Amino acid sequence: METITADVRTEEFMLDYLDNAVVGLHWVDGEATIIWANKADYEPLGYTKDEYIGHKITEFHADQEVIGDILERLLGGQSLYNYRANLLCKDGSTLSVLIASSGLFDDSDSLLHTRCFTIAEPAPA
């Protein structure tokens, strides 16, 4: 019987935490391609994993000026907090979200990927 080390168990718990979080999480690379996302990021929009991961993040934003600004800021090393955006749902509707994001850069300051959290805004009363 193999003994599970504390590091392996911690990694398993962290992966489970990220994959099953109730907040949308995704990584976007320097070419604006979604390279990882959890279910809470794509399922509220009506997409499957295959319809979302591997696609350009710009495909899912209703306002191209907004996503352009987001990407420019992140590529410039800025962090975003409570940045409002409207995402496109598969059925053609939009979902208003707040975005918190930052970038992970390599030693030559090239963006490896973003670290993005998306939270749906409550519908107006």
Side-chain angles (χ1 to χ4, degrees):
M1 183 164 82
E2 184 178 325
T3 303
I4 297 177
T5 66
D7 289 341
V8 170
R9 190 171 181 146
T10 299
E11 182 179 350
E12 288 173 355
F13 286 151
M14 183 57 78
L15 291 173
D16 177 72
Y17 173 78
L18 294 172
D19 286 338
N20 295 297
V22 296
V23 173
L25 306 168
H26 66 258
W27 292 351
V28 172
D29 69 13
E31 301 297 318
T33 301
I34 302 165
I35 58 174
W36 175 83
N38 69 357
K39 291 181 277 192
D41 205 54
Y42 54 82
E43 284 183 349
L45 301 175
Y47 295 100
T48 65
K49 182 178 183 177
D50 290 338
E51 293 171 321
Y52 195 72
I53 297 173
H55 291 261
K56 300 292 185 186
I57 191 69
T58 55
E59 295 175 39
F60 304 98
H61 276 262
D63 186 337
Q64 293 303 299
E65 287 184 28
V66 169
I67 187 56
D69 183 56
I70 290 169
L71 292 171
E72 184 177 332
R73 288 172 185 249
L74 291 171
L75 286 167
Q78 293 183 38
S79 294
L80 305 176
Y81 303 94
N82 294 324
Y83 193 110
R84 283 189 165 76
N86 290 309
L87 301 180
L88 294 170
C89 298
K90 188 174 180 177
D91 67 5
S93 64
T94 59
L95 178 65
S96 182
V97 297
L98 295 175
I99 295 172
S101 189
S102 62
L104 176 64
F105 295 85
D106 65 16
D107 292 337
S108 62
D109 291 330
S110 294
L111 180 68
L112 296 173
H113 63 78
T114 64
R115 300 170 285 209
C116 187
F117 297 75
T118 55
I119 301 171
E121 287 194 280

